[in-house]
Amino acid sequence: MTEETPNAPAPRPGDAARKALREARARAPRPPEPGEPTEAGEPTGAGKPPEAGTSSGTGKSPGTGTPRPTRPPAKPARPGDIARRALRAARAEATPPTVPHDAPAPLRGAGNGAPSPDAPAPAGTPTPSSSPASEPDGTPLRGAGSRATNPRAPAPVNAPNPPPAPEPPAPTTPRTPHSMAAPTRDGDLRRTFPPSAPRATDANGDPVATTWWGNAWLTALEAGALDAARLARGRTYAAQGHVDAITVTPGQALAYVRGSRPRPYRTQVRLRTLSDADWDRFLDAAVEHTGHIAALLDKEMPHSLSDCGVPLLPGPGDLEPLCSCPDRGHPCKHAAALCYQTARLLDEDPFVLLLLRGRGEREILDALSRRSAAHAARAAQDAHDTAALPGVRARDAVTPRTLPPLPAPLPPPPHPEQPPAHPAAPGGPDPLALDQLATDAAARAHALLTTGRDPVAELTLWQDAVRLAAARPGSGLTASTRAVYASLASATGRTTADLARAVAAWRQGGLEGLAVLEEPWDPPAGRFDRARPLLLAADLPAFRPWRNRLTHPVGHVQLRLGRDHLWYAYESDPGADDWWPRGIPDLDPIGALTGLGGIP
């Protein structure tokens, strides 16, 4: 048993590691030769003597008789082994060894396996300068400065370092485009809006902007564009979410726009800022009406603010697009996409337009607050200086009042009254024509009052002119009616002869008689087919059929079947195709010919 040194200072954690590192640095230039003693005083290589108490031939532990396998000769020391052992010892001091619960307790030391000088050493305990000690089961303890390991599985001193484990491949992530989003840098004169989600409805032609100021922005864009195809492509880009975050500052809107290449393009749209004089006029116009400030706070832009003499909304050519793409269109599809997205921002917040014109929302609201207070103070002073005027209290003015019920309508007259006579004046209208128009208007008003329906509301201009001419008293183009016929024919683009023929048809059967005159049609089988045998039975010659007409073989009498199933008689000179309505319509074709002379 070795005697302890009573006055030796207690070792501190890391002393052995530092000492081993200093020795490693001192011995680093020359590797140890085989058989040369190491730092612990043990020879290296094949010349190392067997451990104390162990025979070189059998490898038995002293006092136990249990054979132990002979340790293979150590490999020659290589440069850096001592430094590696020092590094392992330092790591062992930082991480205490783990000992199983059923293993014998190791010796207590100062963190490096050495016994503490403050505690009495048990009998048989060697000092740090003696040979290495053993556990009760015969396992040797590692000396100071060595790495603490599990006593049941000691690691060899010269064991090679394990190869480093291969690092797992880094996960591949899709490349994200550049972004202008920097919310931490935003302020009153800089606002960043995140990119919006793709919208399939915009690509289908739905309106992009819903407010009048947003549509004014798009009107300025489309009026200054030179290629409608680029605008359509830019609208598709905006709908598909190709526009990244938009940064709005005074005078410009900036964003990255993804195109056909992997690298996005840096795109901006510039707009001229307003001068201080323009801002003063705008703020004065906004303060004049309290509703303007309330509308701005509700994210609305009143129309009257755009008409205050300040060019608030952009006009054609005011938007200046710039883009880093090689396309030289005005604008390119990337700048058009940015403009369409900016229109949506204007829809949501009109202060974006005011920021583009040069001033932020907080600055504008502060200026409006100051001007509104000054305006209210001046109004109060003016009211104080003016004498109080009599008035009505507001609660009395808005009190609901019950109005008496309306009187019952008067009964309509039995017939329209005769209009007054109109005297004739030199160079004036015909008094007879005025009397006819007044009489017709009175008749229409009476029919509308009694039945609720205008009888001539569905007539065309030509039909109404024929109706007015047919209501003229008399027959034929007499001297009194010639001027009326000429005026009506000129207004409808017809001749007086056409009007006279149409008047005869109207007097014969009204609106249906006029249709029989002007519109031939193909009647179905039945009534029209039975008319020819009836005419033959009445000893009349065989009439020639054509559509809804039956014509006498000589050519001076004709029967026409109307859609009301009535037969209308027409007469013409022999050998001429000038048919005029005659007689009264009848269900029987023989009855329709009654009264016509000259029928053989």
Side-chain angles (χ1 to χ4, degrees):
M1 183 174 65
T2 307
E3 182 181 1
E4 290 185 357
T5 304
N7 296 329
R12 296 175 298 173
D15 288 346
R18 286 190 288 271
K19 180 180 178 181
L21 186 59
R22 286 195 297 271
E23 292 178 359
R25 289 176 179 173
R27 298 184 182 186
R30 182 177 62 86
E33 296 296 335
E36 184 179 356
T38 60
E39 54 180 325
E42 299 176 357
T44 61
K48 178 179 179 182
E51 294 182 0
T54 307
S55 63
S56 61
T58 61
K60 297 180 180 181
S61 299
T64 60
T66 304
R68 189 173 57 183
T70 305
R71 296 178 60 184
K75 295 181 181 180
R78 294 175 299 173
D81 287 348
I82 300 177
R84 283 190 289 272
R85 286 197 298 270
L87 182 59
R88 288 195 293 270
R91 291 175 177 173
E93 291 182 4
T95 306
T98 59
V99 181
H101 295 288
D102 56 351
L107 298 177
R108 298 288 300 277
N112 54 2
S116 175
D118 298 336
T125 304
T127 61
S129 60
S130 64
S131 61
S134 300
E135 289 285 355
D137 58 354
T139 304
L141 292 175
R142 304 296 299 273
S146 63
R147 183 177 61 183
T149 59
N150 193 335
R152 297 184 181 273
V157 177
N158 294 330
N161 294 331
E167 297 182 359
T172 59
T173 57
R175 179 181 178 184
T176 57
H178 296 283
S179 177
M180 298 299 299
T184 56
R185 297 173 54 190
D186 284 357
D188 193 37
L189 294 180
R190 187 183 192 276
R191 296 181 62 181
T192 302
F193 300 91
S196 60
R199 299 176 299 272
T201 55
D202 292 350
N204 295 333
D206 292 348
V208 177
T210 57
T211 59
W212 68 270
W213 59 90
N215 286 317
W217 174 277
L218 295 181
T219 301
L221 167 67
E222 295 168 356
L226 302 180
D227 188 0
R230 287 187 173 90
L231 287 182
R233 188 61 177 163
R235 178 170 179 161
T236 304
Y237 273 16
Q240 294 176 352
H242 286 212
V243 182
D244 199 67
I246 301 177
T247 300
V248 180
T249 55
Q252 72 172 356
L254 180 65
Y256 279 112
V257 181
R258 296 187 302 276
S260 57
R261 299 181 180 179
R263 183 182 181 89
Y265 300 104
R266 189 175 187 271
T267 309
Q268 55 182 326
V269 177
R270 295 181 178 178
L271 183 64
R272 184 182 64 85
T273 58
L274 299 179
S275 62
D276 292 340
D278 291 337
W279 278 112
D280 289 338
R281 287 196 298 270
F282 173 78
L283 295 174
D284 289 340
V287 170
E288 288 296 330
H289 301 282
T290 56
H292 290 169
I293 301 178
L296 289 175
L297 293 176
D298 290 339
K299 306 303 181 181
E300 295 286 340
M301 178 67 69
H303 276 280
S304 55
L305 284 181
S306 61
D307 300 333
C308 62
V310 179
L312 188 61
L313 296 171
D318 289 349
L319 300 178
E320 182 181 354
L322 296 175
C323 186
S324 61
C325 70
D327 188 3
R328 296 296 175 234
H330 185 84
C332 66
K333 52 184 173 292
H334 312 103
L338 176 58
C339 288
Y340 279 114
Q341 283 299 101
T342 307
R344 286 191 169 275
L345 298 182
L346 298 182
D347 264 2
E348 298 174 359
D349 190 356
F351 281 100
V352 176
L353 176 62
L354 301 179
L355 178 58
L356 286 171
R357 284 302 191 180
R359 294 195 181 183
E361 179 179 357
R362 178 52 51 196
E363 182 181 0
I364 294 175
L365 293 180
D366 291 344
L368 289 177
S369 178
R370 292 191 299 269
R371 291 174 182 258
S372 179
H375 182 75
R378 288 194 300 268
Q381 184 65 31
D382 295 342
H384 182 269
D385 296 340
T386 306
L389 299 177
V392 180
R393 292 183 178 273
R395 62 173 177 267
D396 299 335
V398 299
T399 300
R401 294 177 296 174
T402 303
L403 298 177
L406 295 176
L410 297 175
H415 54 81
E417 299 293 337
Q418 183 68 24
H422 300 276
D430 184 5
L432 296 178
L434 289 178
D435 181 74
Q436 181 182 356
L437 292 178
T439 304
D440 181 71
R444 293 178 58 187
H446 184 267
L448 184 62
L449 181 63
T450 55
T451 63
R453 178 179 173 274
D454 188 0
V456 298
E458 299 178 357
L459 298 181
T460 63
L461 177 63
W462 167 245
Q463 293 171 350
D464 192 37
V466 173
R467 181 188 65 84
L468 290 175
R472 182 77 176 179
S475 61
L477 296 179
T478 61
S480 59
T481 60
R482 191 176 299 276
V484 176
Y485 274 52
S487 177
L488 293 175
S490 176
T492 55
R494 303 290 185 94
T495 63
T496 55
D498 294 338
L499 181 59
R501 195 191 314 270
V503 167
W506 187 279
R507 289 175 177 174
Q508 184 187 32
L511 184 61
E512 184 63 30
L514 182 62
V516 170
L517 172 68
E518 298 180 341
E519 301 174 4
W521 61 289
D522 296 324
R527 182 180 299 274
F528 186 80
D529 296 336
R530 291 192 297 268
R532 297 181 65 192
L534 292 176
L535 295 175
L536 292 175
D539 296 333
L540 293 176
F543 281 60
R544 298 191 306 269
W546 182 79
R547 303 192 74 178
N548 65 325
R549 301 174 183 179
L550 294 175
T551 307
H552 194 276
V554 178
H556 69 286
V557 176
Q558 188 181 81
L559 289 174
R560 297 184 182 184
L561 180 62
R563 297 180 186 272
D564 55 354
H565 305 295
L566 296 179
W567 289 95
Y568 294 82
Y570 279 74
E571 192 176 9
S572 174
D573 294 335
D577 191 15
D578 187 21
W579 301 101
W580 284 77
R582 293 287 187 269
I584 301 173
D586 198 326
L587 289 173
D588 186 11
I590 305 299
L593 293 176
T594 303
L596 298 182
I599 301 178

